[in-house]
Amino acid sequence: MAPLKMEDLSEDRILHLVDQIKDWQVTKLSHRETVHVAGQLMEDIPQCFPTAVPRSRFDQAIKLQTVFNRLYCAVAEDDQWLYNVIRDIIPTDSLAKALWSVHEAVKKDGYVQSISLGLFRSDYMLHLDHDKEMESDDEDELSDASLKQVEMNTFSASGGSHADKVQVMHHYLARTGMYETSGVAFDSTSLATNRNIKSIGSSLALAHETYGHARSKGVKATAVLMIVQPNNFNIADERPIEYELWDRQVPVPTYRLEFGADVLQYTSLGQDRELLFQPPWLESGLEISVVYMRAGYEAHEYDDVGIKARIQLEQSTAIKCPSVLSHITTFKKVQQALSAPGTLEAFLPGHEASMIRETFMPMYLMDESEQGLHARKLACDLVQSMNYILKPSLEGGGHNVYGSDIPPYLSLTPEAQWSSYILMERIHPPLQSNLLMGPAVLDSGETVSELGIFGCCLWQSAKTADAQASEESDHRIQMLSNEVGGWTFKTKFADIDEMSVVKGFGHFDTPLLVDL
Amino acid sequence: MAPLKMEDLSEDRILHLVDQIKDWQVTKLSHRETVHVAGQLMEDIPQCFPTAVPRSRFDQAIKLQTVFNRLYCAVAEDDQWLYNVIRDIIPTDSLAKALWSVHEAVKKDGYVQSISLGLFRSDYMLHLDHDKEMESDDEDELSDASLKQVEMNTFSASGGSHADKVQVMHHYLARTGMYETSGVAFDSTSLATNRNIKSIGSSLALAHETYGHARSKGVKATAVLMIVQPNNFNIADERPIEYELWDRQVPVPTYRLEFGADVLQYTSLGQDRELLFQPPWLESGLEISVVYMRAGYEAHEYDDVGIKARIQLEQSTAIKCPSVLSHITTFKKVQQALSAPGTLEAFLPGHEASMIRETFMPMYLMDESEQGLHARKLACDLVQSMNYILKPSLEGGGHNVYGSDIPPYLSLTPEAQWSSYILMERIHPPLQSNLLMGPAVLDSGETVSELGIFGCCLWQSAKTADAQASEESDHRIQMLSNEVGGWTFKTKFADIDEMSVVKGFGHFDTPLLVDL
């Protein structure tokens, strides 16, 4: 399959395609307008035409995922290594400070659950390593592009449900012949398929089963507890997972609870630190088997109540998805530290370390080391900064500073805080022309895409596990399950830096796998 | 299973239930707010608590459906009988006039397709035959209630997709324990299940296969054509059927076309009256196998262009769902005529005629016959009219006049037009207390429900068929397929006359089947 050529389609066809998409939105997708609480909804904004991705790069990203899973599980179980990486930012980064304080509080009395669940998402873009002027729709460029990691999300990774729902639409549009051009049939088997909702549901169900029966006296049943944000703009992404769990052949009871005060009000710890859940609308209390965190990723959530709530969850026997230490691995500092020479080899066999390293863009600390001072020089230079992104250790991409914005940004930031950032070389993706639907207008232009791969893994700390020497284990961890969950794929105009779906920039897309 | 007792549920539980429903709406249902064209959308407004229906009455309605299907197929093939029934209203009822003129125009050159598809819906309410004061939540009343037909829809019957989608929600809520009271488990197998979308899709697919290969030279493929209204408020009900057809193991290509000018612009008749479809957004033309009418049920649609469009469709070799004669059977005059002594027996074996007759409420013509004059007297009487509904021969329930509104309404209507109405005795359903969610408020009160049963049937006129004597045939028709499709179930406050979902009165509900 070759990339779609938009110019081969008549205006009639494009207008008809837009009508098809709008009706699909009304009947099958979630919409901002329908959110019932004041606020916004992360909606499924679909891309009009599936964007081409070389099949070899897509397959590479899939193949890497179980290695990335294992790497991050191992990192999460090495609190000394993690401490060394984030130590410098604990005084200045309030999220790092809060999370480390939670870890220390729980460690004092000892963790009572050695098993953790990870629902990770590794994000990639295609990258052209040369400086030549880029032209759109150039198949040569696509075939030259390598796969580079944007970031690794180990906490509250979202978008899985949206991606699932939107790809169903692209498959439908393909079947109806909307992507045929000049009588050439569109091979819809070239559209990637997805199963995030099922995979994430299966992983939570496995963790739930692994937890076993209720241990607390007088409690009959166990359940998964999804910890969510108030006025939740993510319900359209979270709810399908909950529905999937209830809909399984053996239903997995799943409930939602807002992070913060509600955790302290409606949960308590049993005699052996079981996590008990008793909201007023449930007739009998439940013991929580799995705590699935879809909140607690922003610094402002950790006031005194937030910290107490997180400690209570972490102290419990419930399997955390994920643990606080695993949460900390999502910091950009960790991504940078893993790129330092020799580090990957401490966690992975050599051939795997090389596979992973190939996907890293150059990343620099912004501290006062020799390397850090070099990075500061790059970042403050009006010309050289153009090729970099300044990333704070916060969740998501919304806080990044891009290119020429970096020098003025740093000039307004106290130098004492600079070391909480990392500097990453910009990825230069090949451009593809496409059509993006906004809420009011349809616009065409050069676009770039980001591919996320979900990893689903259940692991046990080797300190407690009967560690058996195998490819799936090292001295830190034993992998109980290690799977690829599915993918997300987002496309935006190339001249916008942020891939934010919430802000309406990013559109959910489906990779059109092309053999080049 | 016994009816739910709302008063057994705590306020916390009810508030939680409402939250659950609102999130389901956002992620799974269609909303008025999301419609993209100016106008409204027929949305899935769900009922909070499933309403009890005696299992025996539900089963009775299911059992009756294939008999009703056969009855209406036979009626549709008897144009002389139909003419006698509607003859009087042709001069005054513009829809009747338009449809009959279409039939006459097509008949002149002869129909070239002897097979028709029916997607019918027979609507019922429960009825208490005695005068005693009704009390809510009275199980005795429910067990005493008989099944009475409100009307038979043989054209553009809607609500199937909405009903399917909302029942999935009720099953989910049941599974999550939201309907448990005082520790008594809710038996979710007592909630009726549904499969309208699949059944309607299968019936259209069967008709499509029955049509066979394209007959027109140079046309390679056949397709189903759904004729729809402009600024369509029914897309959320229609589109799922279209998606289902494309989604079948052997996809059935299905397209939409607006009734009226677009039919004349984008379709044409081939040499042997094949219906050819060539819109500008399709690369190659198609031959239409099945015309699925979801428009053309309102008088204003039949201007000169509308009449020409309908004639073109009816003249073609495409299988019509349904034919213009079958459309005419949906007139209230036909329902009344079938209730006249001896009529059913002319179309059905005796035992089936009795089964059907049991569901009829007394209905009267409003003409100048002896019976008609009696009905006029009842309708004009301020007291006696309370027990009646005045029904014009129009589609849907939105034009009915209820009880005490009848005498003043008739006093403003020229007597010459009275005979286009029928007078039907009101159904007195048992009341059940329930909670209804409006767009802004939650309200509780006494409610009544309406059960619709979908019938899916493919038949051939016996004039052309190799008529074989069998239970599924008579001298007029041979049934090629005769199935029950599924159900719709709508609930509204008892003090509102209309069951309109579009106006926000009717809520899609799921029957809770109770054994009394």
Side-chain angles (χ1 to χ4, degrees):
Chain A
M1 194 76 203
L4 265 178
K5 289 199 168 35
M6 218 177 57
E7 60 272 25
D8 291 346
L9 297 178
S10 67
E11 195 186 327
D12 278 324
R13 177 83 75 85
I14 287 175
L15 292 175
H16 182 69
L17 174 65
V18 169
D19 277 347
Q20 297 290 99
I21 292 175
K22 285 180 172 173
D23 279 4
W24 188 279
Q25 282 187 301
V26 170
T27 45
K28 297 261 192 180
L29 301 180
S30 308
H31 283 261
R32 197 179 296 262
E33 292 79 3
T34 53
V35 75
H36 50 90
V37 182
Q40 52 187 353
L41 180 70
M42 183 169 168
E43 60 185 329
D44 318 302
I45 307 181
Q47 172 64 303
C48 293
F49 292 92
T51 301
V53 174
R55 191 186 296 272
S56 57
R57 297 292 155 258
F58 184 83
D59 290 347
Q60 182 189 354
I62 297 286
K63 200 175 161 194
L64 283 168
Q65 192 56 42
T66 53
V67 183
F68 265 121
N69 289 347
R70 197 148 24 80
L71 169 64
Y72 274 80
C73 295
V75 169
E77 295 301 331
D78 195 334
D79 67 340
Q80 192 54 51
W81 186 87
L82 271 181
Y83 179 68
N84 288 335
V85 170
I86 65 157
R87 179 173 49 191
D88 290 348
I89 64 170
I90 290 176
T92 51
D93 184 313
S94 56
L95 184 61
K97 188 176 177 178
L99 295 182
W100 197 258
S101 77
V102 168
H103 167 59
E104 290 197 313
V106 180
K107 198 179 178 182
K108 211 172 64 184
D109 295 329
Y111 283 91
V112 290
Q113 179 55 270
S114 60
I115 296 175
S116 299
L117 179 67
L119 295 173
F120 303 155
R121 202 191 70 225
S122 180
D123 291 339
Y124 305 93
M125 292 180 95
L126 293 175
H127 175 61
L128 293 169
D129 214 7
H130 47 73
D131 296 327
K132 83 171 203 191
E133 194 63 19
M134 284 167 286
E135 285 163 38
S136 63
D137 298 333
D138 187 335
E139 292 188 30
D140 287 347
E141 283 201 350
L142 264 188
S143 66
D144 285 351
S146 60
L147 192 72
K148 293 295 178 187
Q149 189 182 47
V150 177
E151 63 182 1
M152 178 74 171
N153 305 281
T154 63
F155 193 78
S156 288
S158 68
S161 303
H162 294 292
D164 264 19
K165 288 201 275 178
V166 169
Q167 58 107 23
V168 177
M169 184 195 76
H170 287 119
H171 281 269
Y172 155 73
L173 292 170
R175 259 199 307 279
T176 65
M178 289 311 298
Y179 299 138
E180 276 179 37
T181 47
S182 320
V184 177
F186 178 90
D187 175 13
S188 61
T189 62
S190 297
L191 278 178
T193 54
N194 219 348
R195 55 185 179 94
N196 290 317
I197 298 170
K198 287 259 176 228
S199 316
I200 293 173
S202 294
S203 296
L204 287 162
L206 175 64
H208 173 75
E209 287 153 21
T210 303
Y211 182 87
H213 295 294
R215 303 154 188 203
S216 185
K217 272 184 202 155
V219 176
K220 285 186 201 134
T222 56
V224 170
L225 190 63
M226 195 188 288
I227 305 292
V228 299
Q229 290 193 331
N231 299 323
N232 196 318
F233 75 89
N234 256 328
I235 50 164
D237 195 55
E238 294 164 1
R239 281 289 201 178
I241 296 165
E242 202 182 330
Y243 301 150
E244 166 66 21
L245 283 162
W246 280 106
D247 205 32
R248 289 174 66 86
Q249 204 161 11
V250 179
V252 176
T254 308
Y255 298 90
R256 300 161 68 81
L257 185 64
E258 285 184 10
F259 189 62
D262 283 3
V263 168
L264 297 175
Q265 188 166 2
Y266 301 126
T267 73
S268 57
L269 293 180
Q271 204 163 3
D272 294 315
R273 293 210 243 156
E274 308 89 348
L275 187 63
L276 305 175
F277 179 52
Q278 176 72 80
W281 41 266
L282 262 187
E283 293 212 344
S284 16
L286 295 163
E287 183 171 321
I288 297 305
S289 53
V290 181
V291 170
Y292 177 25
M293 300 296 295
R294 292 293 299 249
Y297 50 81
E298 288 173 312
H300 73 78
E301 294 176 271
Y302 290 94
D303 55 8
D304 285 354
V305 171
I307 288 178
K308 267 190 201 153
R310 186 75 190 262
I311 289 174
Q312 177 148 312
L313 298 173
E314 296 289 328
Q315 280 179 326
S316 77
T317 56
I319 294 174
K320 268 70 69 182
C321 175
S323 65
V324 67
L325 286 178
S326 189
H327 185 172
I328 290 170
T329 66
T330 212
F331 278 62
K332 302 293 179 293
K333 278 273 189 187
V334 171
Q335 191 186 8
Q336 191 282 331
L338 288 173
S339 77
T343 310
L344 283 175
E345 288 73 8
F347 290 100
L348 292 173
H351 68 288
E352 290 184 341
S354 323
M355 281 166 61
I356 296 286
R357 189 178 311 284
E358 268 182 40
T359 68
F360 286 169
M361 288 301 283
M363 278 173 273
Y364 306 100
L365 286 175
M366 286 279 288
D367 62 10
E368 291 173 7
S369 67
E370 191 179 340
Q371 190 209 43
L373 293 175
H374 171 68
R376 288 181 177 202
K377 211 169 138 191
L378 290 172
C380 293
D381 185 283
L382 283 173
V383 175
Q384 290 190 291
S385 63
M386 301 280 281
N387 203 32
Y388 289 91
I389 302 173
L390 187 71
K391 295 186 167 190
S393 269
L394 292 168
E395 165 79 11
H399 307 281
N400 293 342
V401 185
Y402 295 85
S404 57
D405 291 342
I406 302 174
Y409 179 84
L410 284 176
S411 72
L412 296 171
T413 308
E415 271 196 54
Q417 285 172 30
W418 289 15
S419 55
S420 63
Y421 290 85
I422 67 147
L423 192 73
M424 182 172 165
E425 207 176 296
R426 289 192 83 148
I427 297 172
H428 295 290
L431 307 183
Q432 298 190 53
S433 61
N434 211 323
L435 208 61
L436 299 185
M437 262 172 67
V441 293
L442 191 66
D443 212 354
S444 68
E446 305 286 28
T447 63
V448 297
S449 304
E450 187 178 291
L451 175 68
I453 306 289
F454 272 100
C456 304
C457 47
L458 189 71
W459 76 94
Q460 183 159 21
S461 160
K463 290 158 209 155
T464 53
D466 296 333
Q468 291 172 356
S470 82
E471 205 183 323
E472 289 292 294
S473 303
D474 74 354
H475 63 284
R476 300 172 193 85
I477 51 162
Q478 182 173 21
M479 299 302 286
L480 305 178
S481 166
N482 188 6
E483 307 281 343
V484 182
W487 48 262
T488 61
F489 191 54
K490 290 178 267 185
T491 295
K492 65 171 176 67
F493 282 127
D495 56 1
I496 291 167
D497 287 321
E498 272 186 77
M499 187 59 92
S500 168
V501 173
V502 177
K503 293 180 187 168
F505 301 149
H507 289 55
F508 285 100
D509 199 353
T510 301
L512 173 64
L513 302 176
V514 296
D515 298 297
L516 299 167
Chain B
M1 196 75 203
L4 266 177
K5 290 201 167 35
M6 219 178 56
E7 60 272 25
D8 290 347
L9 297 177
S10 66
E11 194 185 328
D12 278 323
R13 177 82 75 84
I14 287 174
L15 292 175
H16 183 68
L17 174 65
V18 169
D19 277 348
Q20 297 290 99
I21 293 175
K22 284 180 172 172
D23 278 5
W24 188 279
Q25 281 187 301
V26 170
T27 46
K28 297 261 190 180
L29 301 182
S30 309
H31 283 261
R32 195 180 297 260
E33 292 80 3
T34 54
V35 76
H36 51 89
V37 181
Q40 54 187 351
L41 179 70
M42 183 169 168
E43 60 184 330
D44 318 302
I45 307 180
Q47 172 65 301
C48 293
F49 292 92
T51 301
V53 174
R55 191 185 296 271
S56 57
R57 296 294 155 258
F58 183 83
D59 291 346
Q60 182 190 352
I62 297 287
K63 201 175 160 196
L64 284 169
Q65 192 56 41
T66 52
V67 183
F68 265 120
N69 288 347
R70 197 149 24 80
L71 170 63
Y72 274 80
C73 294
V75 168
E77 296 300 332
D78 194 335
D79 68 339
Q80 192 54 51
W81 185 87
L82 273 180
Y83 178 68
N84 288 337
V85 169
I86 65 157
R87 180 174 48 191
D88 290 347
I89 63 171
I90 289 176
T92 51
D93 184 312
S94 56
L95 185 61
K97 187 176 177 179
L99 296 181
W100 198 257
S101 77
V102 169
H103 167 59
E104 290 197 314
V106 180
K107 198 179 177 183
K108 210 171 66 185
D109 296 328
Y111 283 91
V112 289
Q113 179 54 268
S114 60
I115 296 175
S116 299
L117 179 67
L119 295 173
F120 302 154
R121 202 190 69 226
S122 180
D123 292 339
Y124 304 92
M125 292 180 94
L126 293 176
H127 175 61
L128 293 170
D129 213 8
H130 47 74
D131 296 326
K132 84 171 202 191
E133 193 63 19
M134 284 167 286
E135 284 164 39
S136 60
D137 298 332
D138 188 337
E139 292 187 28
D140 286 347
E141 283 201 347
L142 265 187
S143 66
D144 285 351
S146 60
L147 192 72
K148 293 295 177 186
Q149 190 183 44
V150 176
E151 63 182 1
M152 178 74 170
N153 305 280
T154 63
F155 193 78
S156 287
S158 69
S161 303
H162 294 292
D164 263 20
K165 289 201 275 177
V166 169
Q167 59 106 22
V168 177
M169 183 195 78
H170 286 119
H171 280 270
Y172 155 74
L173 292 170
R175 261 200 306 280
T176 66
M178 289 311 298
Y179 298 138
E180 274 178 38
T181 46
S182 320
V184 178
F186 178 89
D187 175 14
S188 61
T189 61
S190 298
L191 277 177
T193 54
N194 218 348
R195 56 187 179 94
N196 291 318
I197 298 171
K198 288 259 176 227
S199 317
I200 293 172
S202 294
S203 297
L204 287 161
L206 175 64
H208 173 75
E209 287 153 21
T210 302
Y211 182 86
H213 295 295
R215 303 155 189 201
S216 185
K217 271 183 202 157
V219 176
K220 286 185 200 134
T222 56
V224 170
L225 189 64
M226 195 188 288
I227 305 293
V228 300
Q229 291 192 330
N231 300 322
N232 195 319
F233 75 89
N234 255 328
I235 50 164
D237 196 55
E238 295 164 1
R239 281 289 201 178
I241 296 165
E242 202 182 329
Y243 301 150
E244 167 65 21
L245 283 163
W246 280 106
D247 205 33
R248 289 173 66 87
Q249 205 162 10
V250 179
V252 176
T254 308
Y255 298 91
R256 300 160 69 79
L257 185 64
E258 285 184 11
F259 189 63
D262 284 4
V263 169
L264 297 176
Q265 188 166 3
Y266 300 127
T267 74
S268 58
L269 292 181
Q271 204 163 5
D272 294 316
R273 293 210 242 155
E274 308 89 348
L275 187 63
L276 304 175
F277 179 51
Q278 176 73 77
W281 42 265
L282 262 187
E283 295 213 344
S284 15
L286 294 164
E287 182 172 321
I288 297 304
S289 54
V290 181
V291 171
Y292 177 25
M293 299 297 293
R294 293 292 299 249
Y297 49 81
E298 289 172 313
H300 72 80
E301 295 176 273
Y302 291 95
D303 55 9
D304 285 352
V305 170
I307 288 179
K308 269 190 200 151
R310 187 74 191 264
I311 289 174
Q312 178 147 312
L313 298 173
E314 296 290 328
Q315 279 180 326
S316 77
T317 56
I319 294 175
K320 269 70 70 182
C321 176
S323 64
V324 66
L325 286 179
S326 189
H327 185 171
I328 291 171
T329 66
T330 212
F331 278 59
K332 302 294 180 292
K333 280 272 188 186
V334 171
Q335 192 187 8
Q336 192 280 332
L338 288 172
S339 76
T343 310
L344 284 174
E345 287 73 8
F347 291 100
L348 293 173
H351 68 289
E352 290 184 343
S354 323
M355 281 165 63
I356 296 287
R357 189 178 310 283
E358 267 181 43
T359 69
F360 286 168
M361 289 299 285
M363 277 173 275
Y364 307 99
L365 287 175
M366 287 279 289
D367 61 10
E368 290 172 10
S369 67
E370 192 179 342
Q371 190 208 44
L373 294 176
H374 172 67
R376 289 181 177 201
K377 210 169 139 191
L378 290 172
C380 293
D381 184 283
L382 283 173
V383 176
Q384 290 188 292
S385 64
M386 301 280 282
N387 202 32
Y388 290 90
I389 303 174
L390 187 71
K391 296 187 167 189
S393 267
L394 293 167
E395 166 78 8
H399 307 281
N400 293 342
V401 185
Y402 295 85
S404 58
D405 291 343
I406 302 174
Y409 179 85
L410 285 177
S411 71
L412 296 171
T413 307
E415 270 196 54
Q417 284 172 32
W418 288 16
S419 55
S420 63
Y421 290 86
I422 67 147
L423 192 72
M424 182 172 165
E425 205 176 298
R426 288 191 84 148
I427 296 173
H428 295 290
L431 307 183
Q432 298 190 52
S433 60
N434 211 323
L435 209 60
L436 300 185
M437 264 173 66
V441 292
L442 190 67
D443 212 354
S444 67
E446 305 287 27
T447 64
V448 297
S449 304
E450 186 176 292
L451 176 68
I453 306 291
F454 272 100
C456 304
C457 47
L458 189 71
W459 74 94
Q460 184 160 20
S461 160
K463 290 158 210 156
T464 54
D466 297 332
Q468 291 171 354
S470 82
E471 206 182 323
E472 289 291 295
S473 303
D474 73 355
H475 64 284
R476 300 172 193 86
I477 52 163
Q478 182 173 21
M479 299 301 288
L480 305 178
S481 166
N482 187 6
E483 307 282 342
V484 182
W487 47 261
T488 61
F489 191 53
K490 292 179 265 185
T491 295
K492 65 169 177 67
F493 283 126
D495 56 1
I496 291 167
D497 286 321
E498 272 187 77
M499 187 58 93
S500 167
V501 173
V502 176
K503 294 181 186 166
F505 300 148
H507 289 55
F508 285 100
D509 199 353
T510 301
L512 173 65
L513 302 176
V514 297
D515 298 297
L516 297 169

